[in-house]
Amino acid sequence: MTCEAEPAPRVTVDPHDLALTDENVPRLAWYHTSTQPDWPTQDLDPAAQLTQETRQRMGGDAHVARWAERQRAKALHVGTYEAAIHNMLRRIDDQGDRGAQFYLYRVRLVPTISVRQGWLIDPSNFVGDVVLNEVCPPGTDVARYLNYHEDPGAISLALGRTAIDSTQRVAIPMTAEEQPSWVIEAIRELDSASVTSPSPSGTRPLGRRRAPSPRTSTAREFAVSLTDQLPVNLRWQFESAAGFSDDLLPEEWTRYVRGMMDLILDPSRILRALDNEPIRQH
């Protein structure tokens, strides 16, 4: 319709999605990724890590208390396995979570939850937040919405902590014993590539940007070639997550990238690992 992204036509739900049947919602497994090892935190205190200087910049303790209350009023989000992995890649790419340890959660809901009728168009704001009582009126525990941003077209849920019955958790990406041929080749080429950036040639100034080393360039070429195997809407975020720096060991980098690939291309291995994890009741 226009060149702007906001009013552009978007995806819609599959009318045969099992999650559209109210009775199925608590029977299905739902997923979430987080850097929190105890998600969802039962006694969440958003202000716990704020320094006194930050509190003063926010306007003092009264302002901090109101801010913390708004944070606690936010809905939790769960969705498909694909949406959970997409969420992790998005956070690595644009929320500064590169290098953080992520956890994949399988979520089971309380069997007696009340599900809001129908589904909503993605109600999240530009940072992904949803105020729980705006989508779940009194007497409603869960609201379905069409996810625009992660696994677009799939149903995700906005819910409160009391709707969660249990979770299982694995740290991701996961390592694997066997090494595909590209891993062996990548380690060999990275080991032989120099970590010294080439000297600038000619009279054209390079500014403050330093040319990448041959090793970094080689890793980037491998990352780009691997993206051809991935769904098109994950490629640029995967490339960002697979970024290389010369302080990384080639074995460390390939192990991480291999694990990220498996999250997308071999989900059955990840789900089997979840099957063997203890169930944490909430």
Side-chain angles (χ1 to χ4, degrees), residues 133-191:
N133 62 15
E134 292 180 358
V135 295
C136 288
T140 302
D141 302 303
V142 171
R144 289 167 290 207
Y145 67 90
L146 164 63
N147 199 322
Y148 270 169
H149 305 288
E150 293 132 2
D151 191 17
I155 290 291
S156 290
L157 305 180
L159 68 164
R161 287 168 175 77
T162 58
I164 295 178
D165 181 65
S166 65
T167 57
Q168 291 170 289
R169 184 200 75 179
V170 290
I172 53 174
M174 298 174 60
T175 59
E177 293 297 329
E178 66 279 3
Q179 292 185 333
S181 58
W182 73 262
V183 169
I184 299 171
E185 180 184 356
I187 292 175
R188 183 177 64 250
E189 293 196 19
L190 290 171
D191 278 335

Coordinates of all heavy atoms in Angstrom, one line a residue, residues 133-191:
N133 N -3.3 -6.5 32.2 CA -4.7 -6.3 32.5 C -5.4 -5.6 31.3 O -6.6 -5.4 31.2 CB -5.0 -5.5 33.7 CG -4.3 -4.1 33.7 OD1 -3.9 -3.6 32.7 ND2 -4.2 -3.5 34.9
E134 N -4.6 -5.1 30.3 CA -5.2 -4.6 29.1 C -5.6 -5.6 28.1 O -6.4 -5.4 27.2 CB -4.2 -3.6 28.4 CG -3.9 -2.3 29.2 CD -2.9 -1.4 28.5 OE1 -2.4 -1.8 27.4 OE2 -2.6 -0.3 29.1
V135 N -5.0 -6.8 28.2 CA -5.4 -7.9 27.3 C -6.1 -9.0 28.0 O -6.8 -9.8 27.3 CB -4.1 -8.5 26.5 CG1 -3.5 -7.4 25.6 CG2 -3.1 -9.0 27.5
C136 N -6.0 -9.1 29.3 CA -6.7 -10.1 30.0 C -7.6 -9.5 31.1 O -7.1 -9.1 32.2 CB -5.7 -11.1 30.8 SG -4.8 -12.2 29.7
P137 N -8.9 -9.2 30.7 CA -9.8 -8.6 31.7 C -10.0 -9.5 32.9 O -9.6 -10.7 32.9 CB -11.1 -8.4 30.8 CG -11.0 -9.4 29.7 CD -9.5 -9.6 29.4
P138 N -10.6 -9.0 33.9 CA -10.8 -9.8 35.1 C -11.5 -11.1 34.8 O -12.5 -11.2 34.0 CB -11.7 -8.9 36.0 CG -11.4 -7.5 35.6 CD -11.1 -7.6 34.1
G139 N -11.0 -12.2 35.4 CA -11.6 -13.5 35.1 C -10.9 -14.3 34.0 O -11.3 -15.4 33.7
T140 N -10.0 -13.6 33.3 CA -9.3 -14.2 32.1 C -7.8 -14.3 32.5 O -7.2 -13.4 33.0 CB -9.4 -13.3 30.9 OG1 -10.8 -13.1 30.6 CG2 -8.8 -13.9 29.7
D141 N -7.3 -15.5 32.2 CA -5.9 -15.8 32.5 C -4.9 -15.7 31.4 O -3.7 -15.4 31.5 CB -5.8 -17.2 33.1 CG -6.6 -17.4 34.3 OD1 -6.5 -16.7 35.3 OD2 -7.5 -18.4 34.3
V142 N -5.4 -15.9 30.1 CA -4.6 -16.0 29.0 C -5.3 -15.3 27.8 O -6.5 -15.5 27.6 CB -4.3 -17.5 28.6 CG1 -3.6 -17.6 27.3 CG2 -3.5 -18.2 29.7
A143 N -4.5 -14.6 27.0 CA -5.0 -14.0 25.8 C -4.1 -14.5 24.6 O -2.9 -14.5 24.7 CB -5.0 -12.5 25.8
R144 N -4.8 -15.0 23.6 CA -4.1 -15.4 22.3 C -3.9 -14.2 21.4 O -4.7 -13.3 21.3 CB -4.9 -16.4 21.6 CG -4.9 -17.8 22.2 CD -6.0 -18.7 21.6 NE -7.3 -18.2 21.9 CZ -8.4 -19.0 22.0 NH1 -8.3 -20.2 21.7 NH2 -9.6 -18.5 22.3
Y145 N -2.7 -14.1 20.8 CA -2.5 -13.1 19.8 C -1.7 -13.6 18.6 O -0.9 -14.5 18.8 CB -1.8 -11.8 20.5 CG -0.4 -12.0 20.9 CD1 0.7 -11.8 20.1 CD2 -0.1 -12.4 22.2 CE1 2.0 -11.9 20.5 CE2 1.2 -12.5 22.7 CZ 2.2 -12.3 21.8 OH 3.5 -12.4 22.3
L146 N -1.9 -12.9 17.5 CA -1.2 -13.2 16.3 C 0.2 -12.6 16.4 O 0.3 -11.3 16.5 CB -2.0 -12.7 15.1 CG -1.2 -12.5 13.8 CD1 -0.7 -13.9 13.3 CD2 -2.1 -11.8 12.7
N147 N 1.2 -13.4 16.4 CA 2.6 -12.8 16.5 C 3.1 -12.3 15.2 O 3.1 -13.0 14.2 CB 3.5 -13.9 17.0 CG 4.8 -13.4 17.7 OD1 5.3 -12.4 17.2 ND2 5.3 -14.0 18.7
Y148 N 3.4 -11.0 15.2 CA 3.9 -10.3 14.0 C 5.4 -10.4 13.9 O 5.9 -10.3 12.8 CB 3.5 -8.9 14.0 CG 2.2 -8.5 13.4 CD1 1.6 -7.3 13.6 CD2 1.5 -9.4 12.6 CE1 0.4 -6.9 13.0 CE2 0.3 -9.1 12.0 CZ -0.3 -7.8 12.2 OH -1.5 -7.5 11.7
H149 N 6.1 -10.6 15.0 CA 7.5 -10.4 15.0 C 8.3 -11.7 15.1 O 9.4 -11.8 14.6 CB 7.9 -9.5 16.2 CG 7.1 -8.2 16.3 ND1 7.4 -7.2 15.4 CD2 6.1 -7.8 17.0 CE1 6.6 -6.2 15.6 NE2 5.8 -6.5 16.6
E150 N 7.8 -12.7 15.8 CA 8.6 -14.0 15.9 C 7.7 -15.1 15.5 O 6.6 -15.3 16.0 CB 9.0 -14.2 17.4 CG 10.0 -13.1 17.8 CD 9.7 -12.5 19.1 OE1 8.7 -12.9 19.8 OE2 10.5 -11.6 19.6
D151 N 8.2 -15.9 14.5 CA 7.4 -17.0 13.9 C 6.1 -16.3 13.4 O 5.0 -16.7 13.8 CB 7.1 -18.1 14.8 CG 6.5 -19.3 14.1 OD1 6.6 -19.4 12.9 OD2 5.9 -20.2 14.8
P152 N 6.2 -15.3 12.5 CA 5.0 -14.5 12.1 C 3.9 -15.4 11.6 O 4.1 -16.3 10.8 CB 5.6 -13.6 11.0 CG 7.0 -13.5 11.4 CD 7.4 -14.8 11.9
G153 N 2.7 -15.1 12.1 CA 1.5 -15.9 11.7 C 1.1 -17.0 12.7 O 0.0 -17.5 12.6
A154 N 2.0 -17.2 13.7 CA 1.7 -18.2 14.7 C 1.0 -17.6 15.9 O 1.1 -16.4 16.1 CB 3.0 -18.9 15.2
I155 N 0.3 -18.4 16.7 CA -0.4 -17.9 17.9 C 0.6 -17.9 19.0 O 1.3 -18.9 19.3 CB -1.6 -18.8 18.2 CG1 -2.7 -18.6 17.2 CG2 -2.1 -18.5 19.6 CD1 -3.4 -17.2 17.2
S156 N 0.7 -16.8 19.7 CA 1.4 -16.7 21.0 C 0.5 -16.3 22.1 O -0.7 -16.0 21.8 CB 2.6 -15.7 20.9 OG 3.6 -16.1 20.0
L157 N 0.9 -16.4 23.3 CA 0.0 -16.1 24.5 C 0.6 -15.0 25.3 O 1.8 -14.9 25.5 CB -0.1 -17.3 25.3 CG -0.6 -18.6 24.7 CD1 -0.7 -19.7 25.8 CD2 -2.0 -18.4 24.0
A158 N -0.2 -14.1 25.8 CA 0.1 -13.2 26.9 C -0.6 -13.7 28.1 O -1.8 -14.0 28.1 CB -0.4 -11.8 26.5
L159 N 0.2 -13.8 29.2 CA -0.4 -14.4 30.4 C 0.4 -13.9 31.6 O 1.4 -13.3 31.5 CB -0.3 -15.9 30.3 CG 1.1 -16.6 30.4 CD1 0.9 -18.1 30.7 CD2 1.8 -16.5 29.1
G160 N -0.2 -14.2 32.8 CA 0.4 -13.9 34.1 C 1.1 -15.1 34.6 O 0.9 -16.2 34.2
R161 N 1.9 -14.9 35.7 CA 2.6 -16.0 36.3 C 1.8 -17.1 36.8 O 2.1 -18.3 36.8 CB 3.6 -15.5 37.4 CG 4.8 -14.7 36.9 CD 5.5 -13.9 38.0 NE 6.7 -13.3 37.5 CZ 6.7 -12.2 36.7 NH1 5.5 -11.6 36.4 NH2 7.8 -11.7 36.3
T162 N 0.6 -16.7 37.3 CA -0.3 -17.7 37.9 C -0.9 -18.7 36.9 O -1.4 -19.7 37.3 CB -1.4 -17.1 38.7 OG1 -2.2 -16.2 37.8 CG2 -0.9 -16.2 39.8
A163 N -0.8 -18.4 35.6 CA -1.3 -19.3 34.6 C -0.3 -20.5 34.3 O -0.7 -21.4 33.6 CB -1.6 -18.6 33.3
I164 N 0.9 -20.4 34.8 CA 1.9 -21.4 34.5 C 1.9 -22.5 35.6 O 2.0 -22.2 36.8 CB 3.3 -20.7 34.4 CG1 3.4 -19.8 33.2 CG2 4.4 -21.8 34.3 CD1 4.7 -19.0 33.1
D165 N 1.8 -23.7 35.1 CA 1.8 -24.8 36.0 C 3.2 -25.4 36.2 O 3.6 -25.7 37.4 CB 0.9 -25.9 35.5 CG 0.8 -27.1 36.4 OD1 0.3 -27.0 37.5 OD2 1.3 -28.2 36.0
S166 N 4.0 -25.5 35.2 CA 5.3 -26.1 35.3 C 6.2 -25.7 34.1 O 5.7 -25.3 33.1 CB 5.3 -27.6 35.4 OG 4.8 -28.2 34.2
T167 N 7.5 -25.8 34.3 CA 8.4 -25.6 33.2 C 9.5 -26.6 33.2 O 9.8 -27.3 34.2 CB 9.1 -24.2 33.4 OG1 9.7 -24.1 34.6 CG2 8.1 -23.1 33.2
Q168 N 10.1 -26.8 32.1 CA 11.4 -27.5 31.9 C 12.4 -26.6 31.2 O 12.0 -25.7 30.4 CB 11.2 -28.8 31.1 CG 10.4 -29.9 31.8 CD 10.0 -31.0 30.9 OE1 9.1 -30.8 30.0 NE2 10.6 -32.2 31.1
R169 N 13.7 -26.8 31.4 CA 14.7 -25.9 30.9 C 15.9 -26.6 30.5 O 16.4 -27.5 31.1 CB 15.0 -24.9 32.1 CG 16.0 -23.8 31.7 CD 16.7 -23.2 32.9 NE 17.7 -24.1 33.4 CZ 18.5 -23.9 34.5 NH1 18.3 -22.8 35.2 NH2 19.4 -24.7 34.9
V170 N 16.4 -26.0 29.3 CA 17.8 -26.5 28.9 C 18.5 -25.2 28.5 O 18.0 -24.2 28.0 CB 17.7 -27.4 27.7 CG1 17.2 -28.8 28.1 CG2 17.0 -26.8 26.5
A171 N 19.9 -25.2 28.7 CA 20.7 -24.2 28.3 C 21.0 -24.3 26.8 O 21.2 -25.4 26.3 CB 22.0 -24.2 29.1
I172 N 20.9 -23.2 26.0 CA 21.1 -23.2 24.6 C 22.2 -22.1 24.2 O 22.3 -21.1 24.9 CB 19.8 -23.0 23.8 CG1 19.1 -21.8 24.3 CG2 19.0 -24.3 24.0 CD1 17.9 -21.4 23.5
P173 N 22.9 -22.4 23.1 CA 22.8 -23.6 22.2 C 23.5 -24.7 22.9 O 24.3 -24.6 23.8 CB 23.6 -23.1 21.0 CG 24.5 -22.1 21.5 CD 23.8 -21.3 22.6
M174 N 23.1 -26.0 22.4 CA 23.7 -27.2 23.0 C 24.8 -27.7 22.1 O 24.8 -27.5 20.9 CB 22.6 -28.2 23.1 CG 21.4 -27.8 24.0 SD 20.0 -29.0 23.9 CE 20.9 -30.5 24.5
T175 N 25.8 -28.3 22.8 CA 26.9 -28.9 22.1 C 26.6 -30.3 21.6 O 25.6 -30.9 22.1 CB 28.1 -29.0 23.0 OG1 27.8 -29.8 24.1 CG2 28.6 -27.6 23.5
A176 N 27.3 -30.7 20.6 CA 27.1 -32.1 20.0 C 28.5 -32.7 19.8 O 29.4 -32.0 19.5 CB 26.3 -32.0 18.7
E177 N 28.5 -34.0 19.9 CA 29.8 -34.7 19.8 C 30.3 -34.8 18.3 O 31.4 -34.5 18.0 CB 29.6 -36.2 20.3 CG 29.4 -36.2 21.8 CD 30.5 -35.6 22.6 OE1 31.7 -35.8 22.2 OE2 30.3 -35.1 23.7
E178 N 29.4 -35.2 17.4 CA 29.8 -35.3 16.0 C 30.0 -34.0 15.4 O 29.3 -33.0 15.7 CB 28.7 -36.1 15.2 CG 27.4 -35.5 15.1 CD 26.5 -35.6 16.3 OE1 26.9 -36.2 17.3 OE2 25.3 -35.1 16.2
Q179 N 30.9 -33.9 14.4 CA 31.3 -32.7 13.7 C 31.0 -32.8 12.3 O 31.5 -33.7 11.6 CB 32.7 -32.3 13.9 CG 33.1 -31.9 15.3 CD 34.5 -31.5 15.4 OE1 35.4 -31.9 14.7 NE2 34.8 -30.6 16.4
P180 N 30.0 -32.0 11.7 CA 29.8 -32.1 10.3 C 31.0 -31.6 9.5 O 31.9 -30.9 10.1 CB 28.6 -31.1 10.1 CG 28.6 -30.2 11.3 CD 29.2 -31.0 12.4
S181 N 31.1 -31.8 8.2 CA 32.3 -31.5 7.4 C 32.6 -30.0 7.4 O 33.8 -29.7 7.4 CB 32.1 -32.0 6.0 OG 30.9 -31.4 5.4
W182 N 31.6 -29.2 7.5 CA 31.9 -27.7 7.4 C 32.6 -27.3 8.7 O 33.4 -26.3 8.6 CB 30.6 -26.9 7.2 CG 29.7 -26.8 8.4 CD1 28.6 -27.5 8.6 CD2 29.8 -25.9 9.5 NE1 28.0 -27.1 9.8 CE2 28.7 -26.1 10.3 CE3 30.7 -24.9 9.8 CZ2 28.5 -25.4 11.5 CZ3 30.5 -24.1 11.0 CH2 29.4 -24.4 11.8
V183 N 32.3 -27.9 9.8 CA 33.0 -27.6 11.1 C 34.5 -27.9 11.0 O 35.4 -27.0 11.3 CB 32.4 -28.3 12.3 CG1 33.3 -28.1 13.5 CG2 31.0 -27.8 12.5
I184 N 34.8 -29.1 10.5 CA 36.2 -29.4 10.3 C 37.0 -28.5 9.4 O 38.1 -28.1 9.6 CB 36.3 -30.9 9.8 CG1 35.7 -31.8 10.9 CG2 37.8 -31.3 9.6 CD1 35.5 -33.3 10.4
E185 N 36.3 -28.2 8.2 CA 36.9 -27.3 7.3 C 37.1 -25.9 7.8 O 38.1 -25.2 7.6 CB 36.0 -27.3 6.0 CG 36.6 -26.3 4.9 CD 35.6 -26.3 3.7 OE1 34.6 -27.0 3.7 OE2 35.9 -25.5 2.8
A186 N 36.1 -25.4 8.6 CA 36.1 -24.1 9.1 C 37.3 -23.9 10.1 O 38.0 -23.0 10.1 CB 34.8 -23.7 9.8
I187 N 37.4 -24.9 11.0 CA 38.5 -24.9 12.0 C 39.8 -24.9 11.3 O 40.7 -24.1 11.7 CB 38.4 -26.1 13.0 CG1 37.1 -25.9 13.8 CG2 39.6 -26.2 13.8 CD1 36.9 -27.1 14.7
R188 N 40.0 -25.7 10.3 CA 41.3 -25.7 9.5 C 41.6 -24.4 8.9 O 42.7 -23.9 9.0 CB 41.2 -26.8 8.5 CG 42.6 -27.0 7.7 CD 42.5 -28.1 6.8 NE 41.6 -27.9 5.7 CZ 40.4 -28.6 5.5 NH1 40.1 -29.5 6.4 NH2 39.6 -28.3 4.5
E189 N 40.6 -23.8 8.2 CA 40.8 -22.5 7.6 C 41.0 -21.4 8.5 O 41.8 -20.5 8.3 CB 39.7 -22.2 6.6 CG 39.6 -23.2 5.4 CD 38.8 -22.7 4.3 OE1 38.5 -21.4 4.2 OE2 38.4 -23.5 3.4
L190 N 40.3 -21.4 9.6 CA 40.5 -20.3 10.6 C 41.8 -20.4 11.3 O 42.4 -19.4 11.6 CB 39.3 -20.4 11.6 CG 37.9 -20.0 11.1 CD1 36.9 -20.3 12.2 CD2 37.9 -18.5 10.8
D191 N 42.2 -21.6 11.6 CA 43.6 -21.8 12.2 C 44.7 -21.3 11.3 O 45.7 -20.7 11.8 CB 43.8 -23.3 12.5 CG 43.1 -23.7 13.8 OD1 42.9 -22.8 14.7 OD2 42.8 -24.9 14.0

